């Protein structure tokens, strides 16, 4: 479904990812692991069209080269960015509507808002409240719900558990698990290796813009101890 072939990602003159190949099949949850600065966000940004890249990225047979962020969204790519980047001064409902900006089916958008409000009752209760007043966990739920409002075929999730209390992390991982059970294809970035590997069908371990290893859950779990010594990241 999504194929990255020898992808290099650039921030101005800086090459953040040095030739990465990644494959995500329909219905899979694939995880990108690695310490700070490994190039995880850069990789998602290149797929979403936010960062410039070289190499080949194809999605459902479409070469994404030269396509804008919106064109990629229309093809079914949605990014839930790291750091809960919601529009703080807009209401919860307005944030969700922004997620649906590329859609033309108004009745569908309205019923999807109802659907996400029933999935996240706490967002429903706060639908007219400024999104900036939500708690960290609520903002993360809004970030994910907003990405899902575009009705994506693949969801790119950047560190959804970062900075959240353990109980809220659990809720977020349960949500990802239920999205997966509904057949959503997910490319997940996480530093929380243990929880991420419980969800993931396959994973890639990056460090300093290079691929260190890849494999299925069992292989990466087995390598967990050596990975943490190598990179200093916590895998417990
Ligand atoms: N906008 C930018 N301008 C310049 N350099 C950048 C920019 N964004 C990222 N970089 C650099 O690219 C490299 C990879 O960063 P990236 O954000 O992809 O890492 P990451 O794996 O997501 O890390 P983290 O876990 O801290 O989020 C880093 O060296 C970083 O300093
Ligand atoms: Mg990042």
């Amino acid at each position: 479904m999504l194929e990255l072939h020898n992808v290099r990602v650039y921030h101005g003159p800086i090459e953040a990812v040095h030739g990465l190949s990644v494959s995500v099949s329909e219905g899979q949850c694939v995880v990108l692991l690695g310490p700070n600065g490994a190039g995880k966000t850069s990789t998602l940004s290149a797929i979403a069209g936010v960062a410039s890249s070289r190499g080949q990225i194809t999605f459902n047979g479409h070469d994404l080269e030269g396509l804008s962020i919106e064109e990629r969204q229309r093809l079914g790519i949605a990014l839930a960015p790291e750091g809960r980047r919601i529009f703080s001064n807009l209401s919860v409902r307005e944030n969700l509507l922004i997620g649906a900006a590329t859609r033309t089916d108004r009745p569908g958008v309205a019923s999807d808002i109802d659907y996400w409000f029933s999935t996240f009752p706490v967002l429903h209760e706060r639908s007219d409240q400024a999104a900036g007043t939500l708690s960290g966990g609520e903002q993360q739920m809004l970030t994910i719900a907003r990405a899902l409002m575009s009705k994506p075929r693949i969801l790119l999730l950047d560190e959804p558990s970062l900075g959240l209390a353990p109980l809220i992390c659990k809720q977020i991982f349960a949500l990802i698990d239920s999205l997966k059970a509904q057949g959503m294809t997910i490319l997940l970035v996480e530093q929380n290796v243990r929880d991420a590997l419980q969800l993931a069908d396959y994973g890639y371990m990056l460090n300093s813009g290079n691929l260190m290893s890849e494999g299925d859950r069992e292989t990466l779990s087995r390598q967990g101890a050596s990975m943490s010594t190598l990179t200093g990241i916590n895998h417990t």
Side-chain angles (χ1 to χ4, degrees):
M1 181 181 220
L2 177 72
E3 301 283 341
L4 277 68
H5 182 68
N6 197 21
V7 167
R8 295 170 179 272
V9 186
Y10 298 90
H11 302 291
I14 298 167
E15 186 179 284
V17 175
H18 317 296
L20 177 66
S21 297
V22 163
S23 177
V24 185
S25 305
E26 183 140 26
Q28 261 191 335
C29 176
V30 171
V31 65
L32 295 181
L33 302 166
N36 295 122
K40 307 180 298 295
T41 298
S42 301
T43 303
L44 295 192
S45 303
I47 299 166
V50 182
S52 63
S53 63
R54 288 196 193 141
Q56 196 180 41
I57 307 178
T58 59
F59 182 65
N60 282 329
H62 297 270
D63 190 329
L64 299 187
E65 192 176 350
L67 297 191
S68 67
I69 298 170
E70 291 74 22
E71 285 167 328
R72 292 174 199 223
Q73 267 175 18
R74 283 196 198 95
L75 287 177
I77 297 172
L79 171 65
E82 74 181 332
R84 304 164 219 147
R85 272 197 232 116
I86 42 129
F87 298 93
S88 321
N89 297 324
L90 299 183
S91 71
V92 167
R93 185 184 297 275
E94 287 164 338
N95 268 274
L96 291 176
L97 283 169
I98 285 173
T102 53
R103 288 173 62 179
T104 49
D105 57 324
R106 283 198 178 189
V109 170
S111 75
D112 282 354
I113 287 190
D114 289 343
Y115 176 77
W116 292 115
F117 277 161
S118 67
T119 308
F120 302 109
V122 65
L123 295 184
H124 193 192
E125 285 162 28
R126 289 159 174 63
S127 59
D128 298 318
Q129 203 170 308
T133 63
L134 299 180
S135 75
E138 291 160 1
Q139 290 187 12
Q140 187 57 60
M141 287 171 196
L142 180 58
T143 303
I144 297 174
R146 186 184 63 193
L148 290 167
M149 280 302 296
S150 67
K151 271 207 170 303
R153 303 180 69 178
I154 190 168
L155 178 63
L156 312 176
L157 263 177
D158 199 348
E159 303 219 36
S161 75
L162 189 70
L164 301 181
L167 192 65
I168 310 293
C169 284
K170 245 185 157 170
Q171 290 175 6
I172 297 285
F173 281 110
L175 165 66
I176 300 169
D177 207 22
S178 78
L179 290 173
K180 194 186 155 191
Q182 291 166 42
M184 178 63 72
T185 309
I186 300 167
L187 181 55
L188 172 68
V189 161
E190 263 299 332
Q191 291 197 43
N192 189 338
V193 178
R194 195 186 59 178
D195 287 329
L197 283 179
Q198 278 183 4
L199 292 174
D201 301 298
Y202 199 83
Y204 297 83
M205 177 73 199
L206 311 183
N207 195 15
S208 303
N210 295 304
L211 180 69
M212 304 306 287
S213 65
E214 63 173 276
D216 59 17
R217 181 185 311 160
E218 289 71 28
T219 310
L220 289 176
S221 298
R222 248 185 283 119
Q223 290 174 352
S226 55
M227 282 196 297
S228 68
T229 358
L230 193 72
T231 63
I233 61 173
N234 179 13
H235 72 101
T236 55

